[in-house]
Amino acid sequence: LCQPNQLTCSGVPIDLGKIKIPTYLYASREDHIVPWKSGYASTGIFSGKNRFVLGASGHIAGVINPPAKKKRNYWVGPEGKNPSNPDQWLKQATEVPGSWWPDWYEWLASHSGKKVKAPKTAGNADYPVIEAAPGSFVKVRAV
């Protein structure tokens, strides 16, 4: 996937380097499944500005720890071009106490339009409700 045009989807070659939108990239410092330096390598793949955030802890605890608990911490560098060396990034990163979730929320808000209230009912004239949630397809057994 990280090699341009080496993977296709429905016959279309995929090149992540052509993605020019801002990206928020997260890794956990003690992750044994995706070591953080491997995750950091993604900063060199996408063409747009990216924000790399390194959370404390491992694969699960680093991600799902709720902000209200005020546990853990994370490191963040400035959004934009990151150094190619992850250790160099970590040396210049700022350690922030607490969960990384509020940082992600603020980043999303800065890259989003204005908030709109969710509709009180599902469906509209263009997209009518087909059936009540969760939908009959959920009950179909795979063979």
Side-chain angles (χ1 to χ4, degrees), residues 57-73:
S57 199
H59 190 78
I60 303 296
V63 174
I64 64 169
N65 198 44
K69 297 272 186 187
K70 300 204 185 292
K71 291 184 177 181
R72 310 278 188 258
N73 60 302

Side-chain angles (χ1 to χ4, degrees), residues 16-26 42-43 45-52 78-82 104 106-112:
L16 297 179
K18 291 183 177 179
I19 298 175
K20 294 178 176 33
I21 61 170
T23 53
Y24 189 99
L25 303 162
Y26 173 86
S42 296
T43 63
I45 294 174
F46 299 101
S47 301
K49 288 183 178 180
N50 61 60
R51 181 172 182 83
F52 182 78
E79 186 172 336
K81 185 75 175 151
N82 291 294
W104 186 47
E106 288 174 22
W107 184 89
L108 283 173
S110 73
H111 291 82
S112 303

Side-chain angles (χ1 to χ4, degrees), residues 120-133:
K120 294 190 185 293
T121 59
N124 60 38
D126 293 328
Y127 302 100
V129 173
I130 297 170
E131 62 185 333

